[in-house]
Amino acid sequence: EPVLSIEGLEKTYNRGRPGEVAVLRGIDLSLARGEVAALVAPSGAGKSTLLHIAGLLDVPDSGRVMIGGQDMARASGRVRTGVRRRDIGFIYQFHHLLPEFSAVENIMLPQLADGAARGEAQARAFDLLESVGIRNRAQHRPAALSGGEQQRVAFCRALANRPRLLLADEPTGNLDPATSDQVFAALMELVRGSGLAALIATHNMDLAARMDRVLRLEAGVLAE
Ligand code: ADP
Ligand code: ADP
């Protein structure tokens, strides 16, 4: 069973009103465990809309969003929130770390919210920091970290609760090209080491070429 399976997804904004725009016109997508796919799209093509629907932050007009054998497009708000917290990790272009907490605390917080014991959460946070090469930065607050380090911490936080699906929107888009390359390599190592299915939006074709699949979103449909 795929980690994520999307079938016949359609989304139109402002239907029947001025400004009507049919953004997604029949999207089919299946992601298996361990599969890492690039999502490439011209600006305005609906990349954010697709990521929001896959991340259960928005609902489609029609079509199915299967996660864990259940259609999330038709699930209750409570079920969607539970699956979003437990099974999906998010990474954005900007880190969104909490400024008053250290790196290790930022990675512990989602685990504590999910009921983990403090010692266990801390040990996992240190392991994750180690795996992206910044264990020595654990006690720094975000403002004391470089852009690349901040983004690595955000990757660790996204994976802290061992999600099955990772959704990333331009995860290195905020960084200079050299840093972006290193940070992307760290992300790929983390993802490969965890058996995650990942959908990673990027404008960078060099980065896209390093993933298992490249999916292009254009005119409302996905092409491999
Ligand atoms: P991308 O992330 O690829 O730039 P988006 O998914 O943000 O694209 O947007 C796709 C299209 O849908 C754009 O034309 C955008 O203006 C429109 N759009 C996005 N969100 C809304 C909304 N909430 N209401 C109306 N139109 C929207
Ligand atoms: P970059 O050149 O990658 O943007 P910086 O010049 O911001 O990195 O920082 C270089 C190193 O110094 C990084 O490892 C960063 O963690 C550390 N650093 C930067 N600012 C501070 C600070 N205010 N307190 C402690 N360490 C810092």
Side-chain angles (χ1 to χ4, degrees), residues 42 60 67 78 127 132 142 150-151 155 160 166 176 183 185 215-216:
I67 296 179
R78 200 170 58 82
D127 283 350
V132 295
Q150 290 168 347
Q151 220 38 8
F155 299 167
L166 177 70
D176 65 76
V183 170
L215 306 170
R216 185 171 179 81

Side-chain angles (χ1 to χ4, degrees), residues 127-135 152-153 155-156 186-187 190:
D127 283 350
L128 285 163
L129 285 166
E130 173 89 49
S131 68
V132 295
I134 56 167
R135 195 183 203 283
R152 287 174 206 241
V153 176
F155 299 167
C156 295
L187 174 61
L190 204 56

Side-chain angles (χ1 to χ4, degrees), residues 137 140 143-147 149:
R137 297 275 150 208
H140 289 57
L145 300 172
S146 73
E149 290 168 341

Side-chain angles (χ1 to χ4, degrees), residues 13-14 19 21 23 41-50 169 217:
Y13 291 112
N14 300 319
V21 47
V23 181
S43 183
K47 177 195 71 177
S48 305
T49 301
L50 179 57
D169 195 354
L217 175 61

Side-chain angles (χ1 to χ4, degrees), residues 2 17 20 23 38 51 72 81 84 90 93 103 119 147 157 173 224:
R17 297 199 301 273
E20 173 171 316
V23 181
L51 287 172
M72 291 298 142
T81 301
R84 192 188 311 123
F90 294 94
Q93 187 167 348
R157 180 188 51 185
E224 189 113 17

Side-chain angles (χ1 to χ4, degrees), residues 13 16 29 35 39 45 56 60 73 88 99 107 112 126 128 146 149 155 159 169 180 186 208 217 219 224:
Y13 291 112
L29 165 66
E35 205 168 32
L39 175 62
L56 313 185
I88 307 178
I107 302 166
L112 298 176
F126 275 114
L128 285 163
S146 73
E149 290 168 341
F155 299 167
L159 270 65
D169 195 354
S180 167
L217 175 61
E224 189 113 17

Side-chain angles (χ1 to χ4, degrees), residues 158-180:
L159 270 65
N161 283 344
R162 297 188 167 83
R164 304 190 309 146
L165 173 66
L166 177 70
L167 300 172
D169 195 354
E170 296 281 348
T172 63
N174 217 10
L175 305 170
D176 65 76
T179 308
S180 167

